[in-house]
Amino acid sequence: MITDEVPLLDHHCHGVVDADLDRPAFEALLTEAPTAHPGRSGFDSLLGAAVLRWCAPLLDLEPHCDPERYLARRWELGWSEVSSRLLRAAGVDTWLVDTGYSSVSLTTPAELAGLGGGVAHEILRLEQVFEEVSRTADAAGLAAAVEAAVRTRGAHAVGLKSIVAYRTGLELPAQPPTAAEFTRAADTWLREGDGRLANPVLLGWLAHLGVRVGAELGLPLQLHTGFGDPDLRLQRADPLLLSDFLSATRHGSATVMLLHCWPFHRNAGYLAHVYGQVRVDVGLAVPYVGERAHEVLAELLELAPFSSVCYSSDGYGLPELLFLGAKLWRRGLGRLVDTWLADDALPLRTAERLVHGIAAGNAAKVYIHARPNGPTG
Amino acid sequence: MITDEVPLLDHHCHGVVDADLDRPAFEALLTEAPTAHPGRSGFDSLLGAAVLRWCAPLLDLEPHCDPERYLARRWELGWSEVSSRLLRAAGVDTWLVDTGYSSVSLTTPAELAGLGGGVAHEILRLEQVFEEVSRTADAAGLAAAVEAAVRTRGAHAVGLKSIVAYRTGLELPAQPPTAAEFTRAADTWLREGDGRLANPVLLGWLAHLGVRVGAELGLPLQLHTGFGDPDLRLQRADPLLLSDFLSATRHGSATVMLLHCWPFHRNAGYLAHVYGQVRVDVGLAVPYVGERAHEVLAELLELAPFSSVCYSSDGYGLPELLFLGAKLWRRGLGRLVDTWLADDALPLRTAERLVHGIAAGNAAKVYIHARPNGPTG
Amino acid sequence: MITDEVPLLDHHCHGVVDADLDRPAFEALLTEAPTAHPGRSGFDSLLGAAVLRWCAPLLDLEPHCDPERYLARRWELGWSEVSSRLLRAAGVDTWLVDTGYSSVSLTTPAELAGLGGGVAHEILRLEQVFEEVSRTADAAGLAAAVEAAVRTRGAHAVGLKSIVAYRTGLELPAQPPTAAEFTRAADTWLREGDGRLANPVLLGWLAHLGVRVGAELGLPLQLHTGFGDPDLRLQRADPLLLSDFLSATRHGSATVMLLHCWPFHRNAGYLAHVYGQVRVDVGLAVPYVGERAHEVLAELLELAPFSSVCYSSDGYGLPELLFLGAKLWRRGLGRLVDTWLADDALPLRTAERLVHGIAAGNAAKVYIHARPNGPTG
């Protein structure tokens, strides 16, 4: 396939668990469901089938082996060897790692690159910076302190990320709140809140900060959209809700990355079509939907310009997810583009540009080449 | 195909009309449109094409015969013989029959099983129980009387069903109303209403009753979602609107079945992924979309765990719909799974488990095996 | 393919630019994005690939030539020769031309037909009539003056069009405002507005006028839905928002055409299924999605009756778009129907009726044959 050997830039992933996992712990990471359910197994899905099909041979097992066999071999080899084999098989040479909170211990970006080869850079989670700074700031000084922290920590990162979809949803305001509105909201939140940022005024301010400071420092702003765990309400994570925000911020030099997007990936493709600052991916979806990756990618590409689409796995915790993101992306996009070539819909040079752009080039332009002095992290 | 011979449990269907049908009456049942329209024929669609392709041979006609020929032969054989031939050809051994209101006379569950073979059980329509009980109750006694009736009648059923999507939409509250809120709403509704339950407080209470009593009696709660006749507003039937309700009820032992779901079947698959108590089908859609069934099933399976998907036809009135649900499901899922086998994405034993689970096993677990003493209806 | 030679009625298109275009001007018309963005090219998409694949040979170039070569040859031949070649290759014999505002100079309907062959008729943009009339009317006389103008100008047209999706979205009221409500809204709007009609009361009135007068004069009412430039908010252009309006107007003799619809084309298919007065197309989407046209058409046909679907390109400005609408429709629907024939899902005569209906017959019935005295424009 045309995608077989192309090196990838995984522009949105997380670390892997730095410990051996028993079956419940492994299965808990093989689903976005928050709790185990009797009679449900994470293997019982297209994702589970893909783990047994594609990961097992990398652990010297037959494809399609039993979950028990797979997990026993995983334990036998140890998390570090397993991670190294799977991550190296992904063919990724650059990892952009979201270092936001995690309920389990994960590898650092440097450790991830050590295991998987290539280099890793950090993506800075805005809500986490805000929450950390808020522990020692008062309402009057909060905005300045958060901005200073984003600038300081952003100097060591290649991108910013907001998970506002999980907090109040994506209906961000076209304009940031005024200073007075911010202070009033901050004052109430600091007095009455539990430290978790879920105030729409403060979150709107923070997203606009991300665009403003991101443009200045050459840091794209990633926004979680679509599919994720049920802490979010999926209908509030439709990227179309960002329309006012994207329209208002389209004339600057900021780049906005819409992550995941499924099942709203056609909507995201439309936004990438009409707003030049928008980039999109179908990370997370690609490993989960297994054999259906080509169809999800095809729907995204109906409207999305080729230069707006980026590869990511959104793998979290399990190296299987970071590998399968890559493997199923190669398989899905490869099948799609090979069909287009066979139907003479594209010439080979356009197909290659499309594939290399999505694999790495489009992301490299905005994360790596756009930095005034390159990443320093 | 891998699905050719697998016996089905049709977990959501209705009776068939127990009379011979002329063309207008037949065509009225071949569409969800409420009124006939000049120049429109129910045969003029993928569903209509499927009737002529797949049902005609069962009536000793050539495939693709003219509608006139088909209807003449149908009349000649008589509704009972036609129903028997079509229903038996469905290969269904268990029918779960929604016995809610119908504007036309339909077979009882026992009559349906008599015609089609196998056994039939009843699904109890909650709104109908509520409306019947309300005719002789006052506001103070209504809640207890409805609950008692649901328990009494539920003892003879294998599941409960709510059509709240048709009344106020699926945005159900996370918590049921308090007793005082219920009584106030009931009082107003009994005095001012026309006997049709369309009050959001009462409907929210009833859905929570369904979950609570259903869990206790081992009766899954079916919820109509998605596509149906235009008594509903499709945008209020998006299953994502159930998120708060599903989140709040996920720790109990209730099972919630999302019926139909099209065109929101990807959303429904997401809910089945993140909430362990959720099951999904694409009944009604499967016969209607004809040759497209494999694609609709594929989209559902992107996120839905294999063990969460159930077969149903939602056939109503015409035995053609109960047969085509089965035939097109076999054809659509068979094509899909055979492709996955050919691409070596799944091993045969996983494919067989998937097929048998969707065909009958997943539904049998929650409707039949979960009953404390089995169905008594 | 079964669609290769079938003559088309393009029931929704615009004129082409009557001047030669340099690269920025050409690319600006090859996207719905409002502004150029550094590093973005309109050629870098499925649409761009389709231009180079299918249009280049009509200008005596190799398929898949470079954009530079394509544009140079285009300039060399001149806009008139290029337009004539592309439009004639579309195989369209009737063009229904939306003559609404344009920021660039476009051919008239007569000029378009002169270039492309066949005949052209006008579609009258309601908001434009309203805005023109409002310049010389007062609030008390506005309703009557607009109705008179619609009647006068409608006598020379074959259809009406509303772009209310761009103004306040598709959530139209079931009933028009009262005369007093209209006058009050008109009074405020005339005093305070800038001449652009974006008042929901007045727009609701105008849509109902379109249905009422349209029914009387035999003029279908076209409604923009779905995808378009970002003057609209895509979530407010979901045709499901029209449900109340369609339900309230379903018993008259008006025809309502839902244009474009993507990415809500399944929703539109549902509306066409349940409301007999509704027709649908996936114009605009078809040329843009290139190789994906068969899938978009397939999703539309899941529920839409065959007799409710119409062909259009929604081509605007570039003759390439009017040609590719036709070319990709032939290719996409042809592939779909040929597969259905190969799978024996349809007989040839049904396939031919389906193809000819969508190509021209379904639209001809409501635009041309429904006119009391035929079009006079």
Side-chain angles (χ1 to χ4, degrees):
Chain A
M1 283 185 177
I2 190 171
T3 49
D4 278 347
E5 303 294 330
V6 57
L8 296 178
L9 187 165
D10 188 341
H11 87 100
H12 176 61
C13 63
H14 304 261
V16 300
V17 176
D18 53 3
D20 292 324
L21 297 167
D22 61 14
R23 181 155 183 171
F26 183 87
E27 290 208 12
L29 289 163
L30 206 57
T31 173
E32 292 287 321
T35 49
H37 206 85
R40 277 279 175 93
S41 162
F43 283 103
D44 186 33
S45 62
L46 287 177
L47 171 60
V51 167
L52 300 174
R53 168 65 187 91
W54 298 110
C55 302
L58 296 171
L59 310 192
D60 316 314
L61 301 168
E62 291 291 304
H64 311 304
C65 70
D66 282 331
E68 294 71 26
R69 184 86 197 83
Y70 183 81
L71 290 166
R73 177 66 179 159
R74 209 181 184 282
W75 189 273
E76 189 177 275
L77 288 170
W79 74 268
S80 177
E81 172 66 15
V82 167
S83 298
S84 181
R85 290 189 186 191
L86 290 167
L87 293 173
R88 282 171 197 275
V92 170
D93 61 21
T94 308
W95 314 84
L96 307 191
V97 186
D98 177 349
T99 54
Y101 295 123
S102 170
S103 55
V104 289
S105 171
L106 300 178
T107 54
T108 64
E111 288 166 348
L112 189 77
L115 289 164
V119 297
H121 302 293
E122 188 185 1
I123 302 291
L124 184 63
R125 186 87 70 89
L126 289 175
E127 287 81 6
Q128 185 160 349
V129 174
F130 192 102
E131 290 168 359
E132 284 170 7
V133 169
S134 74
R135 284 179 213 135
T136 55
D138 59 11
L142 184 58
V146 170
E147 179 163 343
V150 169
R151 287 179 180 277
T152 304
R153 295 188 51 184
H156 302 279
V158 297
L160 307 173
K161 183 184 174 192
S162 167
I163 54 164
V164 65
Y166 274 88
R167 302 295 172 91
T168 49
L170 291 177
E171 206 156 356
L172 291 171
Q175 300 302 327
T178 63
E181 287 164 346
F182 177 92
T183 307
R184 200 157 48 236
D187 185 60
T188 307
W189 178 72
L190 285 168
R191 278 188 293 107
E192 299 174 5
D194 58 357
R196 185 173 182 271
L197 180 58
N199 176 292
V201 174
L202 303 181
L203 283 161
W205 175 85
L206 189 60
H208 278 278
L209 176 79
V211 161
R212 180 167 53 81
V213 172
E216 217 176 293
L217 303 185
L219 302 174
L221 174 64
Q222 300 181 340
L223 290 166
H224 176 107
T225 77
F227 171 43
D229 74 58
D231 259 11
L232 60 70
R233 289 293 170 266
L234 190 50
Q235 63 271 41
R236 294 210 294 265
D238 183 341
L240 288 183
L241 298 173
L242 291 166
S243 300
D244 290 343
F245 178 76
L246 294 174
S247 187
T249 58
R250 76 169 182 252
H251 294 299
S253 59
T255 300
V256 176
M257 314 286 314
L258 305 179
L259 305 179
H260 322 321
C261 301
W262 186 99
F264 309 115
H265 43 287
R266 275 176 163 151
N267 297 357
Y270 162 79
L271 294 172
H273 180 103
V274 295
Y275 297 114
Q277 86 273 31
V278 170
R279 303 291 181 282
V280 286
D281 76 34
V282 284
L284 188 59
V286 166
Y288 270 90
V289 306
E291 277 304 292
R292 293 281 303 166
H294 69 286
E295 191 61 27
V296 171
L297 284 159
E299 290 176 2
L300 177 65
L301 286 166
E302 287 175 3
L303 262 276
F306 299 159
S307 61
S308 71
V309 180
C310 299
Y311 167 72
S312 86
S313 66
D314 193 26
Y316 169 91
L318 298 181
E320 280 84 352
L321 295 170
L322 289 91
F323 164 68
L324 284 174
K327 179 72 194 173
L328 294 168
W329 178 89
R330 289 181 199 279
R331 202 167 139 82
L333 190 67
R335 185 186 301 187
L336 185 65
V337 174
D338 282 350
T339 305
W340 289 345
L341 286 169
D343 289 345
D344 193 27
L346 294 173
L348 184 59
R349 70 178 188 290
T350 301
E352 286 177 339
R353 200 177 63 233
L354 182 166
V355 165
H356 283 268
I358 300 180
N362 299 336
K365 253 183 220 156
V366 293
Y367 287 104
I368 312 291
H369 308 156
R371 304 270 298 156
N373 307 302
T376 62
Chain B
M1 284 184 177
I2 190 170
T3 49
D4 277 348
E5 304 294 330
V6 57
L8 297 177
L9 187 165
D10 189 341
H11 88 99
H12 176 61
C13 63
H14 304 260
V16 300
V17 176
D18 53 3
D20 293 325
L21 297 167
D22 61 13
R23 182 155 183 172
F26 183 87
E27 289 209 10
L29 289 163
L30 207 55
T31 172
E32 292 287 322
T35 48
H37 206 84
R40 277 280 175 93
S41 162
F43 283 103
D44 186 35
S45 63
L46 286 178
L47 171 61
V51 167
L52 300 173
R53 168 64 187 91
W54 299 109
C55 302
L58 295 170
L59 310 192
D60 317 313
L61 300 168
E62 291 290 306
H64 311 302
C65 70
D66 282 331
E68 295 70 26
R69 185 84 197 84
Y70 183 81
L71 291 165
R73 176 64 179 161
R74 210 180 184 282
W75 190 273
E76 189 177 275
L77 287 170
W79 74 268
S80 177
E81 172 66 15
V82 167
S83 298
S84 181
R85 290 189 185 190
L86 291 166
L87 294 173
R88 283 173 196 275
V92 170
D93 62 20
T94 308
W95 313 85
L96 307 191
V97 186
D98 177 348
T99 54
Y101 296 122
S102 169
S103 55
V104 290
S105 172
L106 300 177
T107 54
T108 64
E111 288 166 349
L112 189 77
L115 288 164
V119 296
H121 303 294
E122 187 185 0
I123 303 291
L124 186 63
R125 185 86 72 89
L126 290 175
E127 287 80 7
Q128 185 160 348
V129 173
F130 192 104
E131 290 168 359
E132 284 170 8
V133 169
S134 74
R135 285 181 212 134
T136 56
D138 58 12
L142 184 57
V146 170
E147 178 162 344
V150 169
R151 287 179 179 279
T152 305
R153 295 187 51 183
H156 303 280
V158 296
L160 307 174
K161 183 184 175 192
S162 166
I163 54 163
V164 64
Y166 274 91
R167 301 295 172 90
T168 49
L170 291 177
E171 206 155 358
L172 291 171
Q175 301 302 326
T178 64
E181 287 165 345
F182 178 92
T183 307
R184 201 157 48 236
D187 185 60
T188 307
W189 177 72
L190 285 168
R191 278 188 293 105
E192 298 174 6
D194 59 357
R196 184 171 182 272
L197 180 58
N199 177 292
V201 174
L202 304 180
L203 283 161
W205 175 86
L206 189 60
H208 279 278
L209 176 79
V211 161
R212 179 167 53 82
V213 172
E216 215 177 295
L217 303 184
L219 302 173
L221 174 63
Q222 299 182 339
L223 291 166
H224 176 107
T225 76
F227 172 42
D229 75 58
D231 259 11
L232 60 70
R233 289 291 170 266
L234 191 50
Q235 63 271 40
R236 293 210 295 265
D238 184 340
L240 288 184
L241 298 173
L242 291 166
S243 299
D244 290 342
F245 178 76
L246 294 175
S247 186
T249 58
R250 76 168 182 250
H251 295 299
S253 59
T255 299
V256 176
M257 314 286 313
L258 305 180
L259 305 179
H260 321 323
C261 302
W262 186 100
F264 309 115
H265 43 287
R266 275 176 164 153
N267 297 356
Y270 162 79
L271 294 172
H273 180 103
V274 294
Y275 297 114
Q277 85 274 31
V278 170
R279 302 291 182 283
V280 286
D281 77 32
V282 283
L284 188 59
V286 165
Y288 270 90
V289 306
E291 278 303 293
R292 292 281 303 166
H294 68 284
E295 190 61 27
V296 171
L297 284 159
E299 291 176 0
L300 177 64
L301 286 167
E302 286 174 4
L303 262 277
F306 299 159
S307 61
S308 71
V309 181
C310 299
Y311 168 72
S312 87
S313 67
D314 194 27
Y316 170 92
L318 299 181
E320 281 83 353
L321 294 170
L322 290 91
F323 164 67
L324 284 174
K327 178 73 194 171
L328 294 168
W329 178 89
R330 288 181 199 280
R331 202 167 139 82
L333 189 67
R335 184 186 301 187
L336 184 65
V337 174
D338 282 351
T339 305
W340 289 345
L341 286 169
D343 290 345
D344 193 27
L346 293 173
L348 185 59
R349 69 179 190 290
T350 301
E352 285 177 340
R353 200 177 65 234
L354 181 166
V355 165
H356 283 268
I358 301 180
N362 299 337
K365 254 182 219 158
V366 292
Y367 288 105
I368 312 292
H369 307 155
R371 304 270 297 155
N373 308 299
T376 62
Chain C
M1 283 186 178
I2 190 171
T3 49
D4 277 348
E5 303 294 329
V6 57
L8 296 177
L9 187 164
D10 188 342
H11 88 99
H12 176 61
C13 63
H14 304 260
V16 299
V17 176
D18 53 3
D20 293 324
L21 297 168
D22 61 14
R23 182 156 182 171
F26 184 87
E27 289 208 12
L29 289 163
L30 205 58
T31 172
E32 292 287 323
T35 48
H37 206 85
R40 277 280 175 92
S41 162
F43 283 103
D44 186 34
S45 64
L46 287 177
L47 171 60
V51 167
L52 300 174
R53 168 65 187 90
W54 299 109
C55 301
L58 295 171
L59 309 192
D60 315 313
L61 301 167
E62 291 291 305
H64 310 303
C65 70
D66 282 330
E68 294 70 26
R69 183 86 197 83
Y70 183 80
L71 291 165
R73 176 65 180 160
R74 209 181 185 281
W75 189 272
E76 186 176 277
L77 287 170
W79 74 268
S80 177
E81 173 65 15
V82 166
S83 298
S84 181
R85 290 189 186 191
L86 290 166
L87 294 173
R88 283 173 196 274
V92 170
D93 62 20
T94 308
W95 314 85
L96 307 192
V97 186
D98 178 347
T99 55
Y101 297 122
S102 170
S103 54
V104 289
S105 172
L106 300 177
T107 54
T108 64
E111 288 166 349
L112 189 77
L115 289 164
V119 297
H121 302 295
E122 187 185 1
I123 302 291
L124 185 63
R125 186 86 70 90
L126 289 176
E127 287 80 6
Q128 184 160 351
V129 174
F130 193 103
E131 290 168 358
E132 285 170 7
V133 169
S134 75
R135 285 179 213 138
T136 55
D138 59 11
L142 184 58
V146 170
E147 178 161 346
V150 170
R151 287 179 180 279
T152 305
R153 296 188 50 184
H156 302 280
V158 296
L160 307 174
K161 183 183 174 192
S162 167
I163 53 163
V164 64
Y166 274 89
R167 301 295 172 91
T168 49
L170 291 177
E171 206 155 358
L172 290 171
Q175 301 302 326
T178 63
E181 287 165 344
F182 177 92
T183 308
R184 200 157 48 235
D187 185 59
T188 306
W189 177 71
L190 285 168
R191 278 188 292 108
E192 298 174 6
D194 59 356
R196 185 172 181 271
L197 180 59
N199 177 292
V201 174
L202 304 181
L203 283 161
W205 175 85
L206 190 60
H208 279 278
L209 176 80
V211 161
R212 180 167 53 83
V213 172
E216 215 177 295
L217 303 184
L219 302 174
L221 174 63
Q222 300 181 339
L223 290 165
H224 176 107
T225 77
F227 172 43
D229 74 59
D231 259 11
L232 59 71
R233 289 291 170 266
L234 190 51
Q235 63 270 41
R236 293 211 294 266
D238 183 340
L240 288 183
L241 298 173
L242 291 166
S243 299
D244 289 344
F245 178 76
L246 295 174
S247 186
T249 58
R250 77 170 183 250
H251 295 298
S253 59
T255 299
V256 176
M257 314 286 314
L258 306 179
L259 305 179
H260 322 321
C261 301
W262 186 101
F264 309 115
H265 43 286
R266 275 175 164 152
N267 297 356
Y270 162 78
L271 295 172
H273 180 103
V274 295
Y275 297 115
Q277 85 273 31
V278 170
R279 303 292 181 280
V280 287
D281 76 33
V282 283
L284 188 57
V286 166
Y288 271 89
V289 305
E291 277 304 293
R292 294 281 303 167
H294 68 284
E295 190 61 28
V296 171
L297 283 159
E299 290 176 1
L300 177 65
L301 286 166
E302 286 174 4
L303 261 276
F306 300 159
S307 61
S308 70
V309 180
C310 298
Y311 168 72
S312 86
S313 66
D314 194 25
Y316 170 90
L318 299 181
E320 280 83 353
L321 295 170
L322 290 91
F323 163 68
L324 284 174
K327 179 71 194 173
L328 294 169
W329 178 90
R330 289 182 199 279
R331 203 167 139 82
L333 190 67
R335 184 186 301 187
L336 184 65
V337 174
D338 283 351
T339 305
W340 289 346
L341 286 169
D343 290 344
D344 194 27
L346 294 172
L348 185 59
R349 69 178 189 291
T350 302
E352 285 177 339
R353 200 177 64 235
L354 182 166
V355 165
H356 283 267
I358 300 179
N362 298 336
K365 255 183 217 156
V366 293
Y367 288 103
I368 312 292
H369 308 155
R371 305 269 298 155
N373 307 301
T376 63

